[in-house]
Amino acid sequence: MSLLTHLLACLFGMGSWVSINGLFVELPLIVPHIPEGWYLPAYLSVIIQMANIGPLVVTLMHRFRPGALNETAVIYVIVSLGAVATFLLGFFWKETVVVAGAPHSVALLVLTFFLAAVDCTSSVTFLPFTMRLRPQYLTTYYIGEGLSGLLPALVALIQGVGVVQCINSTQPLNHTVNSSSTFDLQAQYQQANFSAEVFFFFLSAMMLVCLVAFLLLNYHPAVAREHPNGEYANGVKEKSHRNRKWVEEKPMIDSCRPTNQKRRSSFGTGTYSWLQVFYIFVILAWVNALSNAVLPSVQSYSCMPYGNNAYHLSATMAAVSNPLACFIAMFLPIRSLLLMGALTVVGSGIGAYIMGMAVLSPCPLLVNDTSGGAIIVLAWIIFILTLSYVKVIIGVILRDEGHSALVWCGAVVQIGSLLGAVTMFPVVSVYSYFSSGDPCNTKCP
């Protein structure tokens, strides 16, 4: 295997969700300067779900007009669009326009829609593109996808985003000079080490790195030698170099299955029955709903009662856990459907604990004990680690079932994330079911 191809596959995967992940970690620095304030995350959730029109179009094209969509051209367009949109955010994220008599951050919201369309569409284009490489590079791609969340989080950590310092504030009970006073701790956000504009330019540079990596994956001679079975284009195998006639790619035959074994279904190689295929896709939708939408929407509620350090540590370590799970899967690619289900149950159980702590906020279990913060951080680590491993294993399984299976893999990822977001949006943003305590003054029995 080529180290260069591994590096390029990783850098290519990093461009999948780096822009939206980066935007969310920058929220504490953005919201004080825009009229939407902390309602912005609710706006962003709606915009991201609207952007699912991108993967919907791509999936329908693959379903009803296979081979007609130029997959390579789509990737070039969306990665370039992501680079331009993040670059423009650096100039216009503060700009407001009066709409219906009230100021709104129209430029920020519109550019976010384009970023969301880029990232959502990457789920149904980047994954199928990996069919052009050997199966080992799919795990490397997933490592890069995990780094798309970790890298912006680390840069934001260096920037000092959301770092709270509790300072004493003394307020007299009466307006007389000698009156008694009450002593409270007031939360004060520290000034960032560099501006949001610089951060957005960094995200734009990351999208350009992704674009360069994609170019090299297509044209570098060392990468061409890594193609499993000749040349590929548009996710279909080239039958003839002379007349450029394309035919729909056939799935790779599983070497462990005898050639005379009866096909169990018409899906991919026929290795899995339709019931097993349904099982795989249900788990894929479930783990993405939990890890991409349901639990992230309540992360602050589950962690902030234990202190600002617990919140930042859980967010950072969870971001580290994603690529770590992919790295483990590179050496232990266990494809057992039973193990997949068991890990999903374990991850879901830990997710239930995290959700329980969010429901109990601002006074969850062990809130006044150091062990409470340690447990919630550990819970987030194991939650992301187990479910990320499940996602990689499902990707490896579906990769062997052919290009169309990976397209549906990306579509189900988006469907699961959509269902999770739609479920949590009214609970968190409309009905305000969860309560967040003051990081400096919350008093619990």
Side-chain angles (χ1 to χ4, degrees), residues 298-308 310-311 314-315 376-377 380:
V298 297
Q299 184 170 21
S300 60
Y301 299 104
S302 67
C303 298
M304 282 301 290
Y306 297 102
N308 192 61
Y311 172 67
S314 67
I376 198 66
V377 171
W380 271 100

Side-chain angles (χ1 to χ4, degrees), residues 256-341:
C256 298
R257 182 167 66 94
T259 55
N260 60 350
Q261 181 177 323
K262 183 179 178 180
R263 289 171 60 91
R264 304 178 66 185
S265 70
S266 58
F267 181 81
T269 63
T271 304
Y272 300 98
S273 66
W274 280 115
L275 183 60
Q276 290 174 319
V277 172
F278 179 75
Y279 167 79
I280 291 171
F281 279 127
V282 166
I283 286 184
L284 182 63
W286 174 254
V287 299
N288 278 281
L290 290 183
S291 59
N292 294 347
V294 175
L295 270 301
S297 65
V298 297
Q299 184 170 21
S300 60
Y301 299 104
S302 67
C303 298
M304 282 301 290
Y306 297 102
N308 192 61
N309 289 335
Y311 172 67
H312 279 281
L313 190 59
S314 67
T316 304
M317 294 308 297
V320 172
S321 299
N322 193 323
L324 177 61
C326 302
F327 188 75
I328 294 172
M330 180 181 292
F331 298 98
L332 294 172
I334 303 173
R335 306 187 188 192
S336 168
L337 298 186
L338 183 61
L339 177 64
M340 183 193 307

Side-chain angles (χ1 to χ4, degrees), residues 15 49 51 54 58 67 70 81 137 147 218 224 272 283 287 303 399:
Q49 303 320 313
V58 172
N70 190 327
L81 179 61
Y137 296 111
L147 291 175
N218 277 291
Y272 300 98
I283 286 184
V287 299
C303 298
R399 197 265 178 212

Side-chain angles (χ1 to χ4, degrees), residues 350-418:
I350 295 174
Y353 173 81
I354 294 172
M355 179 62 72
M357 297 306 100
V359 170
L360 294 175
S361 176
C363 296
L365 300 177
L366 302 173
V367 66
N368 296 318
D369 198 317
T370 306
S371 62
I375 291 173
I376 198 66
V377 171
L378 183 62
W380 271 100
I381 293 173
I382 299 176
F383 169 74
I384 296 296
L385 195 66
T386 53
L387 296 193
S388 295
Y389 184 86
V390 170
K391 286 190 280 187
V392 175
I393 294 305
I394 292 178
V396 171
I397 289 174
L398 295 179
R399 197 265 178 212
D400 288 344
E401 299 304 306
H403 177 269
S404 295
L406 283 182
V407 173
W408 283 108
C409 177
V412 172
V413 166
Q414 291 305 118
I415 291 172
S417 302
L418 171 62

Side-chain angles (χ1 to χ4, degrees), residues 24-108:
F24 270 95
V25 299
E26 196 71 0
L27 285 180
L29 204 61
I30 295 175
V31 292
H33 303 282
I34 60 173
E36 288 80 8
W38 278 108
Y39 286 104
L40 180 62
Y43 283 94
L44 296 183
S45 298
V46 175
I47 289 172
I48 290 172
Q49 303 320 313
M50 291 171 57
N52 275 304
I53 186 67
L56 176 63
V57 170
V58 172
T59 304
L60 292 177
M61 286 288 291
H62 278 290
R63 174 64 181 86
F64 296 106
R65 298 195 63 188
L69 186 68
N70 190 327
E71 195 171 81
T72 302
V74 172
I75 295 176
Y76 278 127
V77 169
I78 63 174
V79 175
S80 300
L81 179 61
V84 172
T86 47
F87 184 76
L88 292 177
L89 269 178
F91 294 100
F92 300 109
W93 70 272
K94 281 185 180 179
E95 300 298 321
T96 59
V97 176
V98 176
V99 178
H104 290 282
S105 306
V106 175
L108 174 63

